[in-house]
Amino acid sequence: MRIGVVTFPGSLDDRDAQRAVRLAGGEPVPLWHGSHDLEGVDAIVLPGGFSYGDYLRCGAIAARSPIMSEVIDAANAGLPVLGICNGFQILVEAHLLPGGLIRNDHGSFVCRDQVLRVENASTAWTNGFAEGQEITIPLKNGEGGFIASAEDLKRLEGEGLVAFRYVGVNPNGSLDDIAGLTNPRGNVVGLMPHPEHASEPGFGPDTPAAMRSGVDGLTFFTSVLAHRMAAA
Amino acid sequence: MSTPVVDSVSNAAATPGKEQPYEALGLKPDEYARIRELLGRRPTSGELAMYSVMWSEHCSYKSSKVHLRQFGQKVSPEMTKNLMVGMGENAGVVDIGEGWAVTFKIESHNHPSYIEPFQGAATGVGGIVRDIISMGARPVAVMDALRFGALGDPDTARVVHGVVGGISFYGNCLGLPNIGGETRFDPVYQANPLVNALAVGVLRHEDLHLANARGVGNKVVLFGARTGGDGIGGASILASDTFSEGGPTKRPAVQVGDPFAEKVLIECCLELFAGGLVEGIQDLGAAGISCATSELASNGDGGMRISLDEVLLRDPTLTAEEILMSESQERMMAIVQPSKLEGFLAVTKKWDVETSVLGEVTDTGRLVIDWRGETIVDVDPRTVAVDGPVYERPVAYPAWLDQMQENSAATLPRPADGAGLRKDLLHLVNSANIADTSWVTSQYDKYVLGNTALSYPDDGGMVRVDERSGLGFALATDANGRYCYLDPYAGAQLALAEAYRNVAVTGATPVAVSDCLNFGSPENPEVMWQFSRAVEGLADGCLALGIPVTGGNVSFYNQTGDVPIHPTPVVAVLGTIDDVGRRVPSGWQDAGDNLYLLGATALELDGSAWAGVVHGHLGGRPPAVDLGREKALAGLLAAGAHEGLFNAAHDLSDGGLGVALVEGCLRFGVGARIFLDELLERDGIDLATALFSETGGRAIVAVPREEDVKFTRLCEGRGYPVLRIGVTDAGPASGAALDVQGAFSIPLDELGAAHRAPLREAFGA
């Protein structure tokens, strides 16, 4: 299975996402923002970072870059797309997911090991989790506060489109503790925390078992591989 | 607006009597006379701009050079065997094996960070990262050593919020993990914070690049951000000299950073290196184009001719002098073969990095710069970049020092009962310099790049270099200004010893040093004495430990009013480890491990955290230095880590054993039961001394029971003092505590709250 990872100018966690794909058993395919070619990949990751310096609004310029027109079409046709952090912001700016992401309520960038609850375990990227499962994924952002209109929020909650919720601490003032969303079809998922940083033993978050041993994030990538295998 | 007069070389020759504002540019009358002598005429205003900034203390090291030479002289074969590039280049390069090399350097950005904390600190990170790229390396991590005024002072919060915000903004946006550093508070830094930024990069041996302009006819290429009016400083004086009313207004003397531009520049440079498209490269930092051209030319074939008209400008009204001196960030200068220019431009275009060819390398021995059809600079580049003035500043033994050293902390009342000891320990844990600094570090990305094996709050940061073999490096920075104030020679060695020990406890083997020497005014003979003693101590110390200084930086004129800061030589030690999977954290992870204290403890409370925090005392002589002992301890720790004997290892320094035990417990929330009777008897000390003395050469290790025999044998074999002082006890769920038997018990919840409070209360949750 070939999973594309898009590099925009200012992408930072693109190589980490590629590594996570590899660790999950997939083949990472680097994709370039200025190209219109998705190279026939089976799924796409929009990685974290500060694409285009996050000028204007986080993700706003990247959402209008050449490759995104292909990504949007492919997503609408059902191709699995995962947006991580800046990637989530890009998905929102591209209207593939609703709402917006604003400056953290406390005003500072925050890097922490964050507990999440998986609220929807039936998407392309979460089918390896159990619904209600609590997982620990590193979070690192300055603009991760999720907002949405009351109407959108009601729809998201009502239709089960909240994919992840912050547990214990709401690290950025997100409404309803929302950490991540899915589209109704379940192929497009976006979240602020970074699953690729909880994918390799020794380099993930601390767990009660051992330091830096957390690999809950790997399940995102094994989930999409399983999803595509099932479809194939 | 009148037309600017171009002060060309011929104009300078024709107008020898023209008055020039050399003093306003920081040049002394004899320095100006020397420039006239070198040129055989008065300098043009462009030449004056170049000389003034390149002969400044910051660029020329004119006061420190005679002392820094020791780092090159006190060298053993052991120190040079893995050194690929030593002092004098943008950053030192160390061979770490398997075809890999590491380059690292620490540099100050103190004064800009007081004036404009956010941009000052941000561009400090940007500048040091470009030094690393210049060596041909991919930057892989940053650290920072920070010193601020008193925690409670309102201005401290302004500076802290700005500096931490700036480092967070720039470093996070570059995608470099911040793996550690220091945050200290002391009134001596009130109007003069220290912001020392460290960057580290990795490269394959064959990718090494140097800053030299070789090959006559090769192109001189400027790329990156456009040149603007920021960071000009003194050049505005020249501007006002050549412009009348309506000319450019005064521009900020502090540069403004754009980390996005730098991130793109990093990737662009790495692609240029990979394509073999660059002969020589230099970043543009202090003194901008003046520095880059004169250094590249000096280090190469000796000549260069460029046209300033080709420089892409952000502001077309800039004068030639301003263009020469501009410190606009995110710019690089490369030397490129004509046949490779097309390939070079294709890469910079791919990354949308603006590029212009300024001129070419010559063999004339002259650096010639043209502007608007006139030659405005014609100098021997070595006189600008290499052969600047050198001063033997007077030194004087400080008049106050003897009295200070007689005032020992040994006479302060020490608590003898459990309640008093408990109170003092909590007081320490709740003090500014021992408190938890996660308020700072949680604003930094430690995960990006996916290779961080250790980071704050462990004693050193550690990064994996090779994903297959696990090869990696560790880094720690340390300095104790209080020790250096009492004895700069010993203080510098203690900083070295602590950084060395902090690397050793992670399981890595120390191999190299970079230093950032922060002092008061070199024109104050007592400060110059402190500086000379600290450099001597550091050079002697490195020789004794067998690890070379590979580069660094000197920052003078750090003072609040007329009062110089404590001498603060920040020492960064780099270590290597053949597999980061064997790394050792600084706190215990499991209940039931034996805790051993390595090293002996003496009554050494002078300059200690206990004396400062509990008694407001600073006097006496710092702990004795024994570098042979440090080397033996590091050898033991490396051997133990290699055999997997440790679940934790933690260095003893500020606050002594007491604070080390607290930190060991809080790291993972696992308690400890400690019994010190045997230690008191063996070392002939009281309980307060056992807990708070800062004797060097000590560490605590947590050894799983099944490794006990092996560990004991290891210590016996090496003849290092060792004593079992307790066991780890109970995890987070079961009301864990630090229990010093026969004295006191403190629940970890209480310790944690005291530890977390100071920074959060001062700067907000």
Side-chain angles (χ1 to χ4, degrees):
Chain A
M1 287 287 155
R2 301 167 72 249
I3 300 186
V5 178
V6 180
T7 297
F8 300 94
S11 290
L12 303 178
D13 305 283
D14 44 345
R15 282 186 297 274
D16 302 332
Q18 291 170 20
R19 184 193 292 116
V21 166
R22 205 164 47 241
L23 290 167
E27 180 197 340
V29 179
L31 299 175
W32 183 243
H33 71 107
S35 159
H36 281 281
D37 186 358
L38 296 183
E39 301 188 24
V41 293
D42 300 293
I44 289 176
V45 178
L46 305 179
F50 293 76
S51 58
Y52 298 92
D54 275 350
Y55 294 134
L56 190 58
R57 279 189 316 276
C58 297
I61 301 175
R64 286 147 187 87
S65 66
I67 201 159
M68 279 307 292
S69 55
E70 316 308 319
V71 172
I72 291 166
D73 289 349
N76 286 330
L79 191 75
V81 177
L82 175 67
I84 301 169
C85 195
N86 195 226
F88 182 23
Q89 294 163 339
I90 294 169
L91 289 176
V92 168
E93 286 287 342
H95 305 295
L96 285 170
L97 293 172
L101 292 146
I102 60 168
R103 189 102 195 126
N104 296 345
D105 57 352
H106 47 80
S108 297
F109 186 98
V110 62
C111 178
R112 67 191 309 274
D113 296 346
Q114 178 68 47
V115 178
L116 305 176
R117 188 167 54 245
V118 181
E119 300 282 20
N120 184 332
S122 58
T123 77
W125 299 92
T126 59
N127 60 64
F129 294 114
E131 206 150 289
Q133 187 178 342
E134 291 193 358
I135 59 176
T136 302
I137 306 285
L139 172 89
K140 38 171 212 164
N141 64 65
E143 309 203 11
F146 180 76
I147 51 165
S149 66
E151 196 183 329
D152 273 346
L153 214 51
K154 201 172 157 196
R155 185 172 63 85
L156 289 169
E157 296 287 4
E159 294 177 17
L161 302 181
V162 174
F164 304 97
R165 232 184 278 275
Y166 298 115
V167 177
V169 173
N170 180 334
N172 45 31
S174 292
L175 294 177
D176 286 5
D177 300 331
I178 290 173
L181 301 176
T182 173
N183 66 350
R185 195 167 174 173
N187 64 312
V188 177
V189 170
L191 77 166
M192 287 313 296
H194 287 257
E196 78 282 17
H197 290 304
S199 292
E200 185 178 16
F203 303 91
D206 290 340
T207 71
M211 78 166 163
R212 293 176 196 267
S213 61
V215 291
D216 290 342
L218 195 62
T219 302
F220 285 72
F221 303 96
T222 52
S223 290
V224 78
L225 292 175
H227 171 86
R228 293 299 294 181
M229 290 291 199
Chain B
M1 189 172 112
S2 64
T3 315
V5 180
V6 177
D7 191 16
S8 64
V9 169
S10 52
N11 186 47
T15 56
K18 181 179 188 280
E19 284 214 17
Q20 295 189 282
Y22 63 87
E23 277 178 309
L25 290 168
L27 286 165
K28 298 283 191 282
D30 57 327
E31 292 173 341
Y32 178 65
R34 173 80 185 131
I35 294 167
R36 293 190 70 124
E37 186 190 327
L38 282 167
L39 295 172
R41 56 172 165 80
R42 78 161 173 88
T44 66
S45 55
E47 288 165 343
L48 188 62
M50 288 183 84
Y51 278 107
S52 70
V53 67
M54 289 301 289
W55 285 14
S56 69
E57 188 66 60
H58 182 74
C59 293
S60 74
Y61 294 86
K62 59 190 170 190
S63 301
S64 54
K65 228 175 205 172
V66 294
H67 301 283
L68 299 177
R69 281 182 190 138
Q70 291 175 72
F71 292 130
Q73 290 158 350
K74 294 176 176 170
V75 170
S76 63
E78 179 189 11
M79 292 160 75
T80 50
K81 74 172 192 287
N82 293 322
L83 193 60
M84 293 171 65
V85 175
M87 281 176 59
E89 283 288 344
N90 284 307
V93 181
V94 182
D95 177 3
I96 64 161
E98 300 178 24
W100 288 103
V102 171
T103 177
F104 74 120
K105 189 180 178 186
I106 184 164
E107 199 166 74
S108 63
H109 229 221
N110 302 340
H111 299 121
S113 300
Y114 181 63
I115 298 165
E116 215 297 50
F118 186 94
Q119 290 295 347
T123 54
V125 176
I128 192 68
V129 167
R130 281 194 305 281
D131 275 337
I132 297 305
I133 310 170
S134 299
M135 303 309 296
R138 171 179 281 282
V140 295
V142 293
M143 289 177 103
D144 44 80
L146 308 176
R147 282 165 179 77
F148 302 108
L151 189 61
D153 191 291
D155 191 54
T156 302
R158 170 190 75 93
V159 178
V160 167
H161 278 282
V163 165
V164 173
I167 293 171
S168 166
F169 161 71
Y170 206 102
N172 292 341
C173 200
L174 280 188
L176 296 177
N178 193 309
I179 58 170
E182 307 165 86
T183 307
R184 298 298 184 100
F185 301 89
D186 193 301
V188 296
Y189 306 109
Q190 196 63 54
N192 200 123
L194 303 185
V195 175
N196 293 181
L198 179 149
V200 52
V202 302
L203 63 156
R204 300 295 299 170
H205 287 182
E206 60 272 20
D207 292 335
L208 182 63
H209 279 74
L210 297 177
N212 56 44
R214 294 226 164 85
V216 173
N218 282 346
K219 301 296 179 191
V220 178
V221 183
L222 183 65
F223 63 115
R226 286 186 167 227
T227 299
D230 51 340
I232 282 176
S236 51
I237 296 156
L238 289 163
S240 61
D241 192 42
T242 47
F243 275 93
S244 58
E245 280 176 30
T249 51
K250 269 222 160 187
R251 298 186 172 90
V254 176
Q255 314 86 322
V256 178
D258 177 357
F260 170 63
E262 178 128 325
K263 166 65 181 170
V264 171
L265 197 57
I266 293 173
E267 298 301 331
C268 177
C269 283
L270 290 168
E271 193 165 330
L272 290 169
F273 296 150
L277 298 169
V278 172
E279 303 307 305
I281 190 156
Q282 167 79 305
D283 69 302
L284 274 70
I289 292 175
S290 297
C291 179
T293 53
S294 59
E295 288 193 351
L296 281 164
S298 299
N299 296 339
D301 291 344
M304 183 183 286
R305 180 161 203 139
I306 65 163
S307 166
L308 281 192
D309 301 301
E310 302 302 324
V311 175
L312 299 173
L313 300 177
R314 227 177 275 167
D315 170 0
T317 68
L318 288 184
T319 65
E321 297 80 8
E322 289 176 315
I323 297 168
L324 283 172
M325 290 174 91
S326 165
E327 295 186 357
S328 287
Q329 299 289 293
E330 295 95 23
R331 297 179 298 161
M332 303 286 283
M333 186 172 280
I335 306 300
V336 182
Q337 284 183 27
S339 62
K340 294 182 177 172
L341 189 61
E342 199 181 327
F344 185 100
L345 295 173
V347 172
T348 55
K349 184 165 189 288
K350 173 185 166 187
W351 288 99
D352 286 324
V353 170
E354 289 196 300
T355 310
S356 64
V357 178
L358 302 189
E360 56 187 47
V361 178
T362 67
D363 57 3
T364 59
R366 307 294 289 180
L367 169 61
V368 179
I369 300 178
D370 299 325
W371 191 58
R372 301 196 177 164
E374 307 254 20
T375 294
I376 58 159
V377 171
D378 185 351
V379 298
D380 173 351
R382 292 190 60 83
T383 65
V384 179
V386 185
D387 302 323
V390 175
Y391 293 132
E392 291 250 16
R393 300 271 192 200
V395 298
Y397 185 82
W400 44 266
L401 190 56
D402 286 341
Q403 207 183 350
M404 181 72 67
Q405 290 183 340
E406 276 163 30
N407 176 22
S408 171
T411 58
L412 298 171
R414 298 198 290 277
D417 63 329
L421 291 161
R422 187 184 199 277
K423 184 164 156 264
D424 280 8
L425 182 56
L426 275 167
H427 194 170
L428 277 173
V429 168
N430 190 234
S431 66
N433 291 326
I434 289 175
D436 168 41
T437 61
S438 63
W439 181 86
V440 174
T441 55
S442 67
Q443 298 185 44
Y444 305 150
D445 184 350
K446 64 181 180 187
Y447 278 107
V448 65
L449 301 182
N451 288 313
T452 307
L454 290 174
S455 61
Y456 179 85
D458 289 312
D459 288 346
M462 188 182 286
V463 171
R464 174 175 62 177
V465 171
D466 190 302
E467 287 197 30
R468 273 157 307 197
S469 69
L471 176 72
F473 64 80
L475 266 170
T477 70
D478 284 291
N480 186 322
R482 287 162 56 84
Y483 289 168
C484 293
Y485 184 63
L486 299 177
D487 181 343
Y489 182 91
Q493 294 198 335
L494 288 163
L496 173 67
E498 190 183 342
Y500 182 88
R501 214 161 48 231
N502 275 329
V503 164
V505 291
T506 67
T509 300
V511 294
V513 172
S514 176
D515 56 24
C516 190
L517 307 172
N518 306 276
F519 288 78
S521 166
E523 295 163 46
N524 174 342
E526 292 186 347
V527 168
M528 212 52 216
W529 179 83
Q530 292 174 325
F531 180 75
S532 69
R533 290 296 290 160
V535 170
E536 200 178 339
L538 202 50
D540 290 346
C542 286
L543 186 62
L545 291 174
I547 56 175
V549 172
T550 63
N553 156 253
V554 177
S555 174
F556 279 130
Y557 300 101
N558 294 290
Q559 48 200 30
T560 294
D562 291 334
V563 182
I565 60 162
H566 288 164
T568 313
V570 174
V571 180
V573 170
L574 175 83
T576 59
I577 183 164
D578 54 8
D579 182 358
V580 299
R582 280 198 279 268
R583 70 198 184 279
V584 181
S586 62
W588 13 106
Q589 306 182 66
D590 303 301
D593 289 352
N594 281 322
L595 291 173
Y596 287 90
L597 176 62
L598 292 162
T601 306
L603 173 59
E604 294 188 293
L605 291 166
D606 292 352
S608 67
W610 175 80
V613 169
V614 177
H615 295 279
H617 181 274
L618 177 57
R621 290 172 183 280
V625 181
D626 181 345
L627 296 171
R629 179 177 65 186
E630 301 290 350
K631 213 172 170 174
L633 176 63
L636 193 162
L637 288 166
H642 192 82
E643 291 184 46
L645 305 185
F646 307 137
N647 275 345
H650 190 25
D651 133 85
L652 267 60
S653 55
D654 296 16
L657 176 64
V659 165
L661 288 169
V662 172
E663 291 169 344
C665 288
L666 291 179
R667 174 71 179 89
F668 295 105
V670 177
R673 260 179 303 135
I674 304 298
F675 18 91
L676 296 175
D677 291 350
E678 226 179 312
L679 174 68
L680 305 190
E681 194 175 321
R682 186 194 71 181
D683 292 349
I685 51 175
D686 61 306
L687 203 46
T689 303
L691 286 172
F692 303 126
S693 168
E694 297 184 3
T695 301
R698 296 183 304 160
I700 323 173
V701 290
V703 180
R705 285 180 197 276
E706 61 273 22
E707 304 293 357
D708 232 33
V709 176
K710 260 193 191 165
F711 172 71
T712 314
R713 230 179 268 150
L714 177 72
C715 294
E716 278 167 10
R718 289 172 180 255
Y720 207 82
V722 61
L723 204 57
R724 193 169 84 96
I725 58 162
V727 290
T728 61
D729 195 20
S734 40
L738 171 61
D739 181 29
V740 178
Q741 301 214 325
F744 59 81
S745 177
I746 315 179
L748 295 197
D749 288 347
E750 188 179 351
L751 283 171
H755 197 228
R756 278 190 301 275
L759 268 66
R760 281 167 209 280
E761 281 171 7
F763 307 125

